[in-house]
Amino acid sequence: MSRTGPPLVTPETDDYGLVNVPASMFLFGSESRVRNLTEGVWDDPLIRSAKRGIDRAADAEEGVFHLWMRPGNFTEEHDFERLRVVLEHLAERRDEARVKVLTMGQVASRLRDEDPTTTRTPIGPR
């Protein structure tokens, strides 16, 4: 990760009305023996990076910081601790009214409200 943190992304709607919210960062991106060896010696680099991404979003006029993970990533207590630390930082920025916390569904709804037209008819049951 760069010293400036992960990127902010711009969600896009495709021709069928599906919204893509690209990933900014995967919270479990460097799971290895190296993490186990460095744990307790240095700060968790993924926590540092996630905090930078949150701060970047707090300071930006536009863009989404999309931090993602899978339920299967949470196998040990330190995995939950990592998420807790990141969410505490996010809550601080939210409480300062510097960021809005939205689900992917809320991001999609906002984007569709801005650009509700699609060039093709959606497929599948309605």
Side-chain angles (χ1 to χ4, degrees):
M1 289 293 158
S2 71
R3 292 189 155 258
T4 59
L8 299 183
V9 298
T10 302
E12 296 178 346
T13 304
D14 71 8
D15 291 342
Y16 296 99
L18 296 174
V19 175
N20 177 33
V21 184
S24 296
M25 180 184 161
F26 180 54
L27 188 58
F28 293 89
S30 67
E31 302 308 295
S32 67
R33 288 183 9 192
V34 174
R35 175 185 174 191
N36 294 334
L37 293 172
T38 61
E39 198 169 275
V41 177
W42 293 294
D43 291 347
D44 183 329
L46 292 173
I47 290 174
R48 267 196 326 269
S49 188
K51 287 180 176 182
R52 283 190 195 121
I54 292 165
D55 291 343
R56 176 181 274 182
D59 295 336
E61 294 294 321
E62 293 183 11
V64 172
F65 176 60
H66 178 191
L67 179 67
W68 70 281
M69 67 227 59
R70 297 181 182 107
N73 294 124
F74 297 92
T75 59
E76 298 186 29
E77 188 57 38
H78 62 84
D79 301 325
F80 292 97
E81 179 64 14
R82 177 184 279 173
L83 180 61
R84 185 189 62 74
V85 170
V86 171
L87 291 178
E88 285 176 353
H89 186 75
L90 177 61
E92 289 172 11
R93 296 301 176 262
R94 181 203 58 212
D95 294 347
E96 297 166 355
R98 293 182 58 199
V99 294
K100 291 182 181 178
V101 179
L102 303 172
T103 65
M104 288 179 62
Q106 290 168 322
V107 171
S109 292
R110 286 178 177 216
L111 188 62
R112 286 187 185 124
D113 288 344
E114 292 174 15
D115 183 18
T117 61
T118 59
T119 58
R120 297 182 182 169
T121 303
I123 57 174
R126 291 185 201 126

